[in-house]
Amino acid sequence: MKGTMLLALVLALAAPAWAQRADQPLPGPALGSPPDASLPPSVPDSPAKPELIVDLSSPRVSITSAFQGESLLLFGMFDPPGEIVVVVQGPAARETVLRKERFLGLWLNTGRMRFDDVPAYYFIAASAPLQRLLARTGGGEILSLEDRLSTIRPVRLRTPAQMAEFRQGLVEVKRREDLYPANFGQVTIQAGRLFRADLPFPSRLPEGVYDVRTYLLRDGKIVTAVSRPLPVGKVGFSAELAGWATAEGPVYGLGAIVMALVLGWLGGAVVRRL
Amino acid sequence: MEIYLPIAEQSMNVFVLFGLGGAAGLLAGMFGVGGGFLATPLLIFVGIPPAVAVASQANQVIANSISSLQVQWRRGNVDLRMGLVLLLGGMIGSSAGVSVFTWLKAIGQIDFVIAVMYVILLSSIGLLMAFESVRTLWKRRRNPTAPRGKLHTHYLVHRLPWKMRFYKSKLYISAFLPIGLGFAIGILSAILGVGGGFVLVPAMIYILGMPTTVVIGTSNFQILFVAANVTFLQAVTNGTVDVVLALLLILGGVVGAPIGSRVAARLPGVVLRALMAVLVLGVATELLFELLRTPASPYSLGPREVLQ
């Protein structure tokens, strides 16, 4: 009710300006634009009473020596009515997209473009068809993959056509590795107030702190959102080895050499006895 | 059973990797070469990133050559002086090779260069061996007791300056020859992850003119240190040595090698060489086919750079 009144107020204030310049779009949060300070925040800072409670089946994704990808269960409860949208985003980094072309009959990388701020992983799940939800909300801070990727910038400026091609290539590769799952996930709502969703993580998963954000939408607006950091990292033996390899390359290299020498020596000696 | 490879950052079937190591060991036992030149392309076929395959294979070569060197050293089949001169070139070559590797990786061409070099190398060796075995079979049929030729012939390369005496090899040749040879093998070793024995051994026999008795031991001596240098530099500069992968390959090799030498003892040399030629040409053809075939998607990703 309060929200509707505020919106009406904003519209009333904006109406004269709108009348003067008819080509200007309606004020309001555009898809992917930074939040407008004059508007109330889409996500209340501290709801008086939690309307949305979210938890994950595991506080982290552990990449062990037996890791083959994992599916986490996200579950929670909300004050009905409403719809739930979950956006999982991997840490942003610079990615290099390479493109092969035929050269003298052989396929080799001839083109490359680097993009900044590319999420390692991007997954959206929703309790209703997302297109419909987004059309009604106008998006706000919930971005479809296309909208999220429209904000990434190439390190060196290129023509829009080239950028679009390479951005498409980036999505292709990420899709292939299941890092940008092609299908939207399903959030199932039970008993009107309980919800659950499966978050699929593939085996070749970049490390870092992922952001799992759950939104409660009501009448096309974000009522509240809960953000949970999800650390993804190697643990145990593989973590130790990888950490060692990056932090102490010389020690790791010597260790690898010693391992090979000992095994080769022993192996040779044992086999000759047989 | 799957195992996660911490540097390749993917999980892979343990038995596939163990089997690959075993196959390479089998070859090593059968033909007296390292087997790395077949293991690396096979690792790439099963989906290991080429940069990791090459660096981890170099790690495996260490185990292979120490185990062979053990025997050769005891039999006194190592020309230490020749080995050290070769090694001088080998160290420079492999260090330069790792720098080239790092540069190629940075510009996104390392996979292509590895594939092309393997195609060239494997097809020329395969064709040479096929030709050799056909000729031997042909000769044997026509003239079973051909007289043996000179110990070695003298080419232009034998007139280079800075001559050294290599007593064990009964040679008096310019030190530039083994240094140059070691340099070339060092580059191969760094970029392809092979020991290079399959090139080094014929080169030592036909170019340097070394007696065959000391060739295997001396080449293993040089390969051991060059492979260790490559492993170390790859670990430090590129961080692409996966010890879990190398461990599985080594264990497979330990099992495969004695089986290979037992098989080899029962087959005549010509048949062995013909078999090897077919195998080498098969891998070369497959690699070439991969380069010529239109890829499912022309796009791939380079390494992710997390900006601090």
Side-chain angles (χ1 to χ4, degrees):
Chain A
M1 194 59 207
K2 217 162 120 191
T4 327
M5 274 171 65
L6 267 170
L7 189 70
L9 185 68
V10 167
L11 278 176
L13 285 173
W18 187 37
Q20 276 166 16
R21 283 156 64 182
D23 57 325
Q24 274 228 326
L26 267 170
L31 224 57
S33 65
D36 191 341
S38 66
L39 290 169
S42 58
V43 182
D45 289 331
S46 51
K49 174 175 80 173
E51 288 179 287
L52 178 64
I53 304 166
V54 182
D55 203 1
L56 289 166
S57 58
S58 164
R60 54 187 301 127
V61 176
S62 304
I63 301 180
T64 60
S65 332
F67 186 72
Q68 289 179 62
E70 199 173 321
S71 184
L72 285 198
L73 173 68
L74 175 137
F75 57 95
M77 198 172 80
F78 66 99
D79 279 349
E83 301 284 0
I84 297 290
V85 176
V86 180
V87 179
V88 186
Q89 209 173 153
R94 175 178 287 183
E95 293 270 18
T96 308
V97 184
L98 302 163
R99 184 172 59 189
K100 281 196 177 71
E101 261 167 45
R102 186 162 250 165
F103 177 75
L104 298 175
L106 305 175
W107 286 89
L108 79 157
N109 292 322
T110 52
R112 68 194 227 127
M113 197 179 288
R114 292 184 299 167
F115 290 101
D116 273 333
D117 187 36
V118 179
Y121 172 92
Y122 205 83
F123 175 71
I124 301 184
S127 59
L130 196 73
Q131 296 309 334
R132 210 178 70 207
L133 281 179
L134 288 187
R136 259 171 39 190
T137 59
E141 58 176 65
I142 303 177
L143 300 180
S144 68
L145 178 66
E146 288 73 38
D147 294 328
R148 171 65 181 85
L149 289 185
S150 71
T151 67
I152 64 173
R153 293 267 162 271
V155 175
R156 278 199 213 115
L157 211 64
R158 307 285 181 94
T159 65
Q162 278 177 321
M163 269 170 55
E165 273 174 42
F166 276 88
R167 198 180 286 144
Q168 189 49 44
L170 172 72
V171 175
E172 247 179 71
V173 180
K174 289 278 194 182
R175 284 258 149 90
R176 207 159 62 214
E177 296 185 357
D178 289 326
L179 290 170
Y180 292 171
N183 299 320
F184 292 120
Q186 181 64 46
V187 176
T188 19
I189 295 182
Q190 280 163 1
R193 53 170 57 230
L194 295 174
F195 64 90
R196 54 180 289 160
D198 284 316
L199 313 179
F201 294 104
S203 77
R204 296 184 76 168
L205 194 61
E207 290 183 275
V209 179
Y210 287 47
D211 178 47
V212 180
R213 203 165 285 210
T214 310
Y215 298 91
L216 171 61
L217 282 82
R218 210 172 282 156
D219 293 330
K221 271 188 301 296
I222 299 168
V223 178
T224 185
V226 174
S227 173
R228 272 195 67 133
L230 175 68
V232 172
K234 294 170 186 151
V235 295
F237 184 58
S238 48
E240 245 161 69
L241 279 181
W244 215 27
T246 41
E248 307 205 40
V251 182
Y252 178 87
L254 287 176
I257 293 170
V258 170
M259 173 201 78
L261 284 176
V262 169
L263 284 176
W265 185 275
L266 289 180
V270 166
V271 159
R272 268 182 284 282
R273 293 276 143 76
L274 295 179
Chain B
M1 199 171 86
E2 303 278 316
I3 190 164
Y4 183 82
L5 305 173
I7 306 298
E9 299 201 308
Q10 60 187 321
S11 53
M12 183 99 345
N13 192 299
V14 174
F15 301 107
V16 167
L17 297 176
F18 187 77
L20 260 173
L26 194 77
L27 287 178
M30 272 171 88
F31 307 112
V33 292
F37 64 98
L38 283 174
T40 312
L42 290 177
L43 282 176
I44 296 170
F45 289 156
V46 298
I48 304 283
V52 177
V54 164
S56 311
Q57 184 55 41
N59 195 4
Q60 189 268 339
V61 167
I62 301 174
N64 212 332
S65 47
I66 185 88
S67 123
S68 170
L69 189 62
Q70 245 178 319
V71 184
Q72 300 293 338
W73 187 268
R74 216 169 292 149
R75 290 182 192 158
N77 288 345
V78 179
D79 183 343
L80 196 59
R81 199 178 160 97
M82 176 64 87
L84 288 172
V85 175
L86 275 169
L87 192 53
L88 178 66
M91 284 297 190
I92 303 169
S94 55
S95 305
V98 173
S99 305
V100 171
F101 187 100
T102 309
W103 174 71
L104 287 170
K105 195 166 166 247
I107 63 165
Q109 300 295 0
I110 188 65
D111 299 3
F112 178 76
V113 171
I114 290 174
V116 167
M117 280 181 73
Y118 264 115
V119 169
I120 296 172
L121 202 65
L122 294 181
S123 52
S124 38
I125 288 170
L127 287 174
L128 271 175
M129 283 195 311
F131 182 70
E132 229 274 318
S133 34
V134 169
R135 201 179 55 175
T136 316
L137 285 172
W138 184 252
K139 251 193 205 162
R140 189 182 289 169
R141 192 175 298 167
R142 296 185 60 177
N143 188 0
T145 52
R148 205 181 178 290
K150 268 203 289 181
L151 191 65
H152 55 264
T153 41
H154 285 245
Y155 309 103
L156 195 66
V157 286
H158 291 97
R159 292 193 201 144
L160 287 166
W162 201 22
K163 289 206 171 190
M164 272 181 87
R165 228 168 260 290
F166 298 98
Y167 297 103
K168 209 157 204 167
S169 301
K170 302 184 188 77
L171 282 175
Y172 180 58
I173 54 167
S174 162
F176 286 117
L177 270 179
I179 291 177
L181 182 58
F183 182 82
I185 301 298
I187 288 185
L188 271 189
S189 209
I191 298 181
L192 301 184
V194 295
F198 60 108
V199 180
L200 189 54
V201 167
M204 284 163 106
I205 297 172
Y206 297 113
I207 300 176
L208 299 186
M210 282 172 70
T212 43
T213 44
V214 294
V215 160
I216 302 285
T218 311
S219 76
N220 267 312
F221 174 82
Q222 119 105 5
I223 287 168
L224 173 65
F225 289 98
V226 168
N229 189 39
V230 171
T231 305
F232 184 75
L233 291 177
Q234 290 280 19
V236 173
T237 51
N238 293 320
T240 40
V241 178
D242 197 312
V243 286
V244 175
L245 176 56
L247 178 72
L248 286 167
L249 293 174
I250 292 171
L251 291 179
V254 166
V255 177
I259 303 173
S261 45
R262 235 156 264 179
V263 173
R266 293 196 186 158
L267 288 175
V270 185
V271 177
L272 273 181
R273 274 199 294 279
L275 271 177
M276 173 103 154
V278 169
L279 201 62
V280 166
L281 285 176
V283 174
T285 313
E286 172 60 25
L287 278 171
L288 183 65
F289 181 67
E290 290 285 321
L291 283 172
L292 292 172
R293 193 176 54 182
T294 309
S297 158
Y299 293 99
S300 61
L301 292 184
R304 269 167 65 80
E305 298 164 70
V306 181
L307 305 174
Q308 302 302 325

